[in-house]
Amino acid sequence: PGSARPALPPAASARALPPAPGPTRSGPPPAGSPAGPARPRPAPAPEPGRDTTIGGPVANRPSAKAKLQALISGIAVVVLLGVCGLTSYFLVADERKGRDARAAGGPAAAQPRDITSQAVDPAPLTVEEVFPTADLVINPKEPPYQVLKTEVAPDCAGAAGGGIAELLGGAGCTQVVRATLRSPSGEYLLTAGIFNLVDEAAAGRVHKGIKPLVAEESGRFQGMVAGAGTEPVVHSSGQVGWHFRGHFLAYAVIAKATGDEIDPGDQHARQILYDVIELHLRGTVLERRATVADGEAGPAAATQPGS
């Protein structure tokens, strides 16, 4: 302790002498010759792509984050390709179904048909077109309306009176198809139908001109008696509704089966008018007339009754 020179370990106390000078040799020393001093060996140049520390490949080695991004990108590409392939499959399948349906006589796509005038839509209305069955089903969950009597006539004035009859005559009305019905509850009777006018402009004028006539009680739609017990639809004070589409005017007049006056706020009466005018006459009958399936000609052209 306190010595300035550290004690050498036993193995290092003997000092090795260098070998005697001699010719330079290459290659390993002969066996049994004393080992010379260790010459420093140059460090091998690192191989490209090798980690000189751990010996593993490191060139362009992705980090964990890069690996995750690459994985997510790969999954996204696979999903996108799958979606594109599935979409293409459905498009092809739908097209094939359409071809198969047409080949098998199935329903084809409907196309709009012009019903803006008698000139382009000359076929007259028929009872079979407007009231095809004795039961008119509006809501499958409710009892149907009962069709008691039907009529097709070239005299439009027979279905209206006063100023409304004059409006219809000035609009080139050539026929009316109408029916008297009983409501599902049996509480109401109504006469409803469609007037066939010269064109859409005329139908619009009649539609607009009816309201003041009804308000002034200078025009009305006529009910049609359909046997005993249906007289109130003609004689009683009722409610009316009307609307047009193309060159047609749909209407309905409703009365209580008892002959009592209908309250102006009667929601049941309003619902009946909506059912018959909007859902059946405009939404079903005239909608069917205003569309035609591919390859079909629609209603056959014919001369209007009375024209």
Side-chain angles (χ1 to χ4, degrees), residues 109 111-115 120-123 288-302:
Q111 301 294 327
R113 181 173 176 273
D114 191 354
I115 60 168
V120 296
D121 178 38
R288 188 183 299 121
R289 192 167 182 104
T291 56
V292 60
D294 284 340
E296 296 183 5

Side-chain angles (χ1 to χ4, degrees), residues 10-232:
S13 59
R15 188 174 181 185
L17 298 175
T24 303
R25 294 174 58 98
S26 61
S33 62
R39 294 184 178 181
R41 297 179 59 189
E47 299 178 16
R50 305 286 295 183
D51 185 342
T52 59
T53 302
I54 61 175
V58 295
N60 300 323
R61 169 178 291 182
S63 65
K65 182 178 180 181
K67 289 181 179 180
L68 180 60
Q69 291 177 343
L71 179 61
I72 294 175
S73 298
I75 294 174
V77 170
V78 172
V79 172
L80 180 60
L81 292 175
V83 171
C84 292
L86 190 61
T87 302
S88 300
Y89 168 78
F90 282 127
L91 290 175
V92 172
D94 289 343
E95 183 179 357
R96 184 177 298 128
K97 287 180 181 179
R99 290 198 303 267
D100 293 344
R102 289 192 292 272
Q111 301 294 327
R113 181 173 176 273
D114 191 354
I115 60 168
T116 56
S117 72
Q118 291 182 356
V120 296
D121 178 38
L125 294 166
T126 64
V127 169
E128 292 75 19
E129 181 180 1
V130 183
F131 299 104
T133 62
D135 291 331
L136 177 60
V137 178
I138 300 296
N139 186 345
K141 297 181 180 180
E142 297 178 355
Y145 288 80
Q146 295 179 333
V147 180
L148 305 177
K149 181 181 178 180
T150 59
E151 178 188 73
V152 55
D155 182 14
C156 298
I164 295 180
E166 294 177 5
L167 277 178
L168 293 169
C173 186
T174 57
Q175 66 168 162
V176 58
V177 177
R178 60 179 181 162
T180 293
L181 307 93
R182 190 185 303 278
S183 70
S185 66
E187 186 179 356
Y188 300 89
L189 295 166
L190 65 149
T191 296
I194 300 177
F195 293 100
N196 193 343
L197 310 180
V198 64
D199 57 29
E200 189 172 51
R205 289 194 301 271
V206 174
H207 174 266
K208 185 177 180 179
I210 290 174
K211 186 174 182 178
L213 295 174
V214 172
E216 298 167 2
E217 298 184 356
S218 57
R220 63 175 296 172
F221 292 106
Q222 303 284 8
M224 180 174 64
V225 175
T230 63
E231 294 84 2

Side-chain angles (χ1 to χ4, degrees), residues 277-292:
I277 297 174
E278 294 298 329
L279 299 184
H280 178 62
L281 296 178
R282 293 185 76 248
T284 300
V285 177
L286 296 181
E287 172 66 20
R288 188 183 299 121
R289 192 167 182 104
T291 56
V292 60

